Amino acid sequence: MNRTPLFPATTQGRPEALSGTGIRPAPRSGTGPVPVPVPAAVRFRAACPDCRGRFELAAAALRLAIGATRRTTFYTFTCPECGASVRKPAGERIIELLTGGGVRTLRLHTAL
């Protein structure tokens, strides 16, 4: 295993570009998380409880809603085979996979 760090340690706290590699650190905006690029070919396996069809969906075909409870956290899609609107619960692992794959997310709860 190669233990060479991607960016060597610096005393300034921020690495500079590695010469000859084209690798540069992401700019810091200070306004929140840095967006992670998602390949356009990400597909998710899904099944319809109505027609029992199994298929793959692009991230754009899914929606994720994150609520305050397990009951209000779910993902939705339209079955490409029968046209049914499908709603399924989303646990932590499903949330990670869907958000990491570029699925649009709606937060249903707000901090009071």
Side-chain angles (χ1 to χ4, degrees):
M1 177 186 230
N2 184 355
R3 294 185 182 264
T4 305
L6 180 60
F7 294 108
T10 65
T11 56
Q12 300 169 348
R14 182 151 168 86
E16 296 303 320
L18 295 176
S19 60
T21 64
I23 299 174
R24 299 184 187 278
R28 288 190 185 173
S29 64
T31 60
V34 176
V36 176
V38 176
V42 173
R43 306 210 38 100
F44 297 93
R45 289 184 190 169
C48 176
D50 291 349
C51 71
R52 304 210 184 253
R54 294 186 174 274
F55 38 82
E56 290 187 354
L57 297 170
L62 295 154
R63 297 291 177 267
L64 173 64
I66 300 176
T69 66
R70 295 178 90 188
R71 187 173 171 197
T72 58
T73 301
F74 56 90
Y75 64 99
T76 62
F77 60 91
T78 300
C79 176
E81 294 183 13
C82 71
S85 180
V86 179
R87 175 178 165 161
K88 293 191 172 187
E92 288 183 30
R93 180 70 177 139
I94 298 293
I95 293 170
E96 287 177 25
L97 292 171
L98 295 178
T99 56
V103 172
R104 283 194 233 163
T105 303
L106 172 66
R107 298 205 181 268
L108 299 177
H109 63 91
T110 58
L112 297 177

